[in-house]
Amino acid sequence: MRMPKAERAVSGETGTMRTIAVTNQKGGSGKTTTAVNLAAALAEKGRRVLLIDLDPQASASAWLGVSDGGKGLFDLLVGNGNLGDLVRKTPFERLSLIPGSNWLVGVEKAMASAVGAETVLRKAIQSLPRNHWDFVLLDCPPSLGLMV
């Protein structure tokens, strides 16, 4: 009997990198808690997980031991850099992080006039090695703007 698609994804049988965005326009709704705990649970099940902290509050980064994410993600989103270069190890096996920082507060304004700004993050994620992570989780900021 074949497993349901969702179970095959968690068990690693699909062979593809899945991207999941945890988003809600309201703050305080549990996005970061959900993203961090889902990342940890998937890693505990043996899946290789990359968590991208897109929230300027950088709470997911702090939960995983990173206190200063620097300007890297901001630079990438405004057109400079490579997403793969921003990956950091965490204390947890099979869980990697691209940290957020307060620099992300200004990213929507910086990207507002750029042509194709809404596709920058998608293209950056698509440029990641397909066989390096089973899941990419996005901890999104409370908004409905370009970052979501």
Side-chain angles (χ1 to χ4, degrees):
M1 185 169 140
R2 191 169 167 101
M3 280 191 276
K5 187 175 183 179
E7 287 182 36
R8 288 194 317 270
V10 173
S11 70
E13 287 187 22
T14 62
T16 61
M17 184 172 75
R18 308 219 13 165
T19 303
I20 300 170
V22 181
T23 183
N24 191 319
Q25 69 185 21
K26 183 184 175 306
S29 59
K31 294 178 297 296
T32 297
T33 302
T34 300
V36 171
N37 284 300
L38 179 58
L42 288 167
E44 190 174 85
K45 286 281 194 181
R47 302 297 85 208
R48 298 161 301 165
V49 181
L50 174 62
L51 177 61
I52 303 176
D53 189 355
L54 296 170
D55 193 335
Q57 292 181 4
S59 296
S61 301
W63 278 22
L64 295 172
V66 176
S67 59
D68 180 15
K71 196 176 175 186
L73 195 49
F74 175 88
D75 282 343
L76 171 96
L77 293 169
V78 296
N80 306 307
N82 178 327
L83 193 61
D85 294 339
L86 303 176
V87 176
R88 296 193 188 179
K89 290 184 178 186
T90 70
F92 307 97
E93 191 177 345
R94 294 180 295 279
L95 176 54
S96 302
L97 172 72
I98 294 179
S101 73
N102 59 3
W103 279 97
L104 294 172
V105 167
V107 78
E108 296 221 6
K109 184 177 180 182
M111 294 173 69
S113 62
V115 176
E118 68 281 359
T119 65
V120 171
L121 182 59
R122 183 182 69 218
K123 289 177 181 176
I125 291 170
Q126 289 172 342
S127 74
L128 291 169
R130 307 306 293 169
N131 62 347
H132 202 81
W133 292 284
D134 300 309
F135 290 90
V136 175
L137 301 180
L138 307 175
D139 180 28
C140 296
S143 119
L144 292 176
L146 287 173
M147 296 288 284
V148 178

